[in-house]
Amino acid sequence: MFSSSLPRTVLCLAGILSVAAASPCSAKSSSGCGKALPAGQTLGGVTSINITSGGLERNFLVFVPPTYKTHTPTQLILSYHGGTKTALQQLQLDDLTSPEFNRDSFVVYPQGINDSWQGVPGVTIDDVQFTADLLDYVQGLYCIDRQRIMATGKSDGAGFCNVLACDAALSTRIAAFAPVSGAYYVDTLPCEPNTVAIPCSNARANIPLLAFHGGNDSVIAYLGGERKNACLPSVPHWIEAWAARENLGAANNTKPVAADTVIYQYSRPGEPNLVNLVYDSINGHDWPSTAPNADNENAGQAPTSFNATPMILDFFAKHPLTQLV
């Protein structure tokens, strides 16, 4: 699956690549439209790339979809690994490079410093800036649809998706978010999981969100609590805070997804199912999949009755960014 090319190193400085730059194709096109794939990269292949961000050398993997055409603006999905995990392990977990589920979208797997992400207590690395620099680089290299930049992740990586959704700049650049088994730390104690104030500086009031969490998650408890000298809000409180933030009200539509699984959907006129939580009462700290994966093969775990990956891809397909900045 990996290309034979050596990792490339580039220096990303503010202003070299502009997010607003567009090719003659359309306003939604990135500046990489029309450029040939770099030497050694292939359709359907994965390449490791290094850039400099915040004075640090950073790394990410890029999956080029097998259907990619250099003049066609193409969706890009960011997928963030869990704590103590790696970009490669996230690629092997999320199935977003599987031809069964995805043949049409770029997938970028950023690597956290010390396998961790901003938002986790004690982490001081500016991963928000890394994400912005990474997007600048990738949009300058490939034909990326600026209206279809999406983000997902697992555990600490899912928590970082929340950090991005709550960032004034990145919340206007990333169209939709799908965190899985997320750790949504709030830097405060004592911890009141059902009432803790959750800070957020999102610059959009219509951020599409599809979250997943298991009722038997023994790592990031569904009901929240103190962890790493910080407070994890209960997942119901966290999703209700997002619904309130987007003026969706407290009422939700509850629908079955599969055995032991429901989805809570918050909507408003003209924007159905904008904020959503998929709750599997028996799932643990897993990326939900009906097939064996690195999560559900652990002791005490098992495949779920549904697959998160096609649900995420379907959600992303329905929620492009409606206004470019």
Side-chain angles (χ1 to χ4, degrees), residues 1-306:
M1 173 175 268
F2 285 86
S3 70
S4 59
S5 61
L6 295 174
R8 301 185 60 193
T9 301
V10 297
L11 181 64
C12 281
L13 297 175
I16 291 179
L17 298 172
S18 171
V19 64
S23 76
C25 301
S26 71
K28 71 177 185 177
S29 304
S30 73
S31 58
C33 290
K35 294 183 180 179
L37 283 178
Q41 295 191 22
T42 59
L43 298 180
V46 177
T47 300
S48 178
I49 294 176
N50 295 337
I51 65 172
T52 298
S53 176
L56 299 172
E57 184 172 303
R58 303 299 302 266
N59 175 262
F60 55 92
L61 305 177
V62 177
F63 167 74
V64 180
T67 61
Y68 175 59
K69 296 179 175 58
T70 59
H71 289 278
T72 302
T74 303
Q75 178 170 270
L76 181 149
I77 301 169
L78 298 160
S79 186
Y80 294 89
H81 63 76
T84 74
K85 304 298 183 180
T86 66
L88 177 58
Q89 287 172 311
Q90 180 66 10
L91 181 153
Q92 294 167 337
L93 176 68
D94 67 15
D95 267 341
L96 287 171
T97 61
S98 168
E100 178 183 357
F101 298 122
N102 173 36
R103 294 179 54 82
D104 302 316
S105 297
F106 279 90
V107 190
V108 172
Y109 295 91
Q111 177 62 51
I113 297 291
N114 297 323
D115 302 335
S116 193
W117 294 110
Q118 184 177 351
V120 174
V123 174
T124 59
I125 300 297
D126 191 347
D127 290 313
V128 170
Q129 185 61 54
F130 170 45
T131 297
D133 291 340
L134 179 163
L135 288 175
D136 286 346
Y137 174 73
V138 172
Q139 287 180 260
L141 193 64
Y142 310 105
C143 191
I144 303 301
D145 187 339
R146 295 173 56 230
Q147 291 181 289
R148 292 191 174 276
I149 297 173
M150 312 294 179
T152 186
K154 163 79 189 299
S155 192
D156 286 353
F160 184 60
C161 286
N162 187 65
V163 171
L164 294 173
C166 284
D167 181 75
L170 272 298
S171 65
T172 64
R173 190 170 181 182
I174 299 173
F177 300 84
V180 177
S181 303
Y184 311 114
Y185 291 102
V186 179
D187 186 15
T188 187
L189 290 176
C191 180
E192 299 293 341
N194 294 320
T195 59
V196 61
I198 305 173
C200 194
S201 300
N202 56 301
R204 288 163 58 202
N206 61 334
I207 295 177
L209 185 76
L210 173 65
F212 298 78
H213 218 98
N216 281 332
D217 192 327
S218 61
V219 179
I220 306 299
Y222 183 72
L223 296 180
E226 183 177 339
R227 190 171 192 266
K228 296 187 176 181
N229 295 315
C231 186
L232 287 171
S234 73
V235 177
H237 173 53
W238 174 81
I239 202 73
E240 288 166 2
W242 263 110
R245 201 173 288 133
E246 304 200 39
N247 300 313
L248 302 179
N252 68 77
N253 181 35
T254 304
K255 295 172 57 178
V257 172
D260 307 302
T261 305
V262 296
I263 184 169
Y264 304 108
Q265 301 172 318
Y266 296 83
S267 306
R268 62 178 169 227
E271 291 181 294
N273 308 333
L274 190 64
V275 169
N276 310 267
L277 171 64
V278 178
Y279 171 66
D280 184 328
S281 61
I282 63 173
N283 191 34
H285 193 61
D286 293 0
W287 185 282
S289 174
T290 57
N293 64 22
D295 281 350
N296 62 40
E297 289 187 318
N298 291 327
Q301 306 289 55
T304 50
S305 53
F306 71 99

